Amino acid sequence: MNWLTNWMMREGPGIPKNAPKKKGLALFAFILVREAWDLFKLNILMLVCSIPVITAPAALAAGMRITNVMIEDENIWLWRDFRRAFARHFLQATAWGLAAALILGLAGYAVYIYGQLARHALIYVLPTAIGVCVIAFVSIVAVCLFSAMTQFELSGPRLLQTALLAAIARPLPVLAGLAFVAALWLIHIVFYPVTVFTPVVFNFSLGALALAFGAHKATGFAFSRILGADSPDAKTMATAQKRA
């Protein structure tokens, strides 16, 4: 059976030194194929840790921490890294998650009420549109905040400042990530019960990857702008993150 062992343990073709770096959707697809097995295991972890509901924000933060490491093409020890990220960000992620859920709930309720009124009077179209914009902007800020939370050690005000700047500077990639997540769950609902197992297989981890991928450059840009790319704080945090 040596031939089977040699076949399974043989070296891969590798990557040519002069090969251009993948960007955009090509990079996303490459990460998806390369990390398929770890994404499946990550999905199970996120699903199990989200069952109590109150722990869902911490599970999302831990999932985005793992997917950020995948994006940076660094080594992953899945269970250890997920457990540490879950414990480290639990209180912060829960607080910010509840705050975002409250704002989005109020904005969604306002959109529903004004949307009903707009059917009878056009004057209510404007507040309805404003409510939709608030939902979109708060969602983008929340994704950027969770991304920055899992990449940098920042205090609450500085974390919010980074998320706001990232959302204003580069909102479209984050919005694309949110649309991707919405499409995943919409497909699950529309084609149910055929898609009954999709949340167990990839919905959570693939959603975390899409959100982290969309916000990765935006949060890095905002972080460097706020602290300064050459500042001692920025260098210290970047070095600490690599060592961790």
Side-chain angles (χ1 to χ4, degrees):
M1 299 294 290
N2 288 337
W3 67 270
L4 181 59
T5 302
N6 293 334
W7 178 75
M8 294 179 64
M9 301 299 293
R10 75 187 191 281
E11 294 184 359
I15 301 175
K17 293 182 179 180
N18 298 325
K21 293 183 178 181
K22 292 180 173 61
K23 298 179 180 180
L25 292 178
L27 178 59
F28 182 82
F30 178 74
I31 296 172
L32 184 59
V33 173
R34 183 189 66 198
E35 307 289 352
W37 178 237
D38 279 340
L39 284 171
F40 170 72
K41 293 186 290 184
L42 176 62
N43 194 83
I44 300 297
L45 288 174
M46 292 183 67
L47 174 61
V48 172
C49 291
S50 298
I51 290 177
V53 180
I54 190 64
T55 58
L60 176 60
M64 290 185 68
R65 170 59 188 165
I66 298 298
T67 51
N68 272 317
V69 176
M70 292 178 178
I71 294 169
E72 294 165 2
D73 195 16
E74 297 180 358
N75 293 329
I76 299 172
W77 288 269
L78 187 62
W79 166 242
R80 186 199 69 179
D81 292 347
F82 184 90
R83 175 173 52 83
R84 289 180 178 179
F86 185 89
R88 179 184 303 170
H89 302 300
F90 180 81
L91 293 178
Q92 195 176 33
T94 302
W96 285 112
L98 290 176
L102 178 62
I103 297 173
L104 290 173
L106 292 175
Y109 182 72
V111 168
Y112 172 76
I113 295 299
Y114 284 118
Q116 296 295 318
L117 294 174
R119 298 171 59 183
H120 306 287
L122 292 179
I123 193 174
Y124 294 106
V125 172
L126 180 59
T128 303
I130 293 175
V132 172
C133 292
V134 169
I135 291 174
F137 182 71
V138 171
S139 299
I140 294 171
V141 171
V143 173
C144 293
L145 189 145
F146 272 72
S147 178
M149 181 194 306
T150 58
Q151 293 184 73
F152 314 110
E153 294 292 336
L154 298 172
S155 61
R158 187 57 62 85
L159 180 62
L160 181 59
Q161 185 182 5
T162 302
L164 287 170
L165 179 57
I168 294 172
R170 299 186 177 181
L172 293 182
V174 184
L175 194 61
L178 287 167
F180 182 85
V181 174
L184 279 178
W185 288 101
L186 183 61
I187 291 172
H188 168 67
I189 295 171
V190 170
F191 293 99
Y192 189 86
V194 176
T195 56
V196 64
F197 292 111
T198 55
V200 180
V201 177
F202 58 76
N203 271 29
F204 288 91
S205 61
L206 193 54
L209 176 61
L211 295 178
F213 190 83
H216 189 74
K217 288 186 177 180
T219 52
F221 169 81
F223 177 74
S224 63
R225 287 292 181 181
I226 290 175
L227 289 186
D230 297 326
S231 69
D233 290 339
K235 290 183 177 180
T236 301
M237 289 185 181
T239 303
Q241 179 187 357
K242 293 293 183 182
R243 289 178 179 176

